Amino acid sequence: MKKIITGILLLFFAIQFQAQTTLEKYTTAVDTKLQNIDKSSITSNILLDRVISVSSIVEFNQGVRQDTTSFTHFKQVWYELNRAFYTKNTS
C-alpha cells in the first residue's frame, strides 16, 4: 500500500512539474515572438496573450460568463495576471 501511495504522489509531482514547464515554455515562446513589438502604448504592463488562460478572464462579465466569481477563480485570475506582467516589479 505504501508503494502505491508513493507512486501516485510521484506521478502527481511529475505531472505538476511538466505543467509548470509547459507554461514557462509557452510564455518564453510568446515573448520571443513579441520582442520586436512596441509595447509603450500598454500602460498596465500586462499582456494577457503571454499566458495560457484557464480562467477565461477575457470573456468574464461579457455576457458569456456569469458576473460573479468564486475564490478559486479569483486566485486563478490573480495567478494569470501576475504571470502576464512583461515587466517585473522590483519594489
Side-chain angles (χ1 to χ4, degrees):
M1 187 67 175
K2 266 176 129 176
K3 289 181 181 181
I4 293 173
I5 293 174
T6 304
I8 291 172
L9 284 174
L10 287 174
L11 180 64
F12 173 75
F13 287 121
I15 291 172
Q16 185 73 15
F17 178 75
Q18 179 63 33
Q20 187 68 28
T21 304
T22 302
L23 292 175
E24 290 171 4
K25 285 181 183 177
Y26 179 84
T27 302
T28 304
V30 170
D31 285 346
T32 302
K33 292 179 181 179
L34 297 176
Q35 67 185 354
N36 296 324
I37 302 293
D38 180 26
K39 299 178 193 87
S40 62
S41 63
I42 304 173
T43 58
S44 65
N45 294 331
I46 297 174
L47 187 59
L48 289 175
D49 294 334
R50 289 186 71 228
V51 297
I52 298 173
S53 179
V54 177
S55 66
S56 302
I57 188 63
V58 175
E59 292 89 14
F60 188 76
N61 207 16
Q62 298 297 318
V64 178
R65 292 184 57 110
Q66 60 185 13
D67 62 349
T68 58
T69 188
S70 66
F71 181 67
T72 306
H73 183 252
F74 176 80
K75 286 193 321 185
Q76 181 64 36
V77 170
W78 187 270
Y79 174 72
E80 290 175 11
L81 286 175
N82 188 30
R83 292 196 63 236
F85 271 105
Y86 58 84
T87 57
K88 298 299 178 192
N89 292 336
T90 57
S91 57

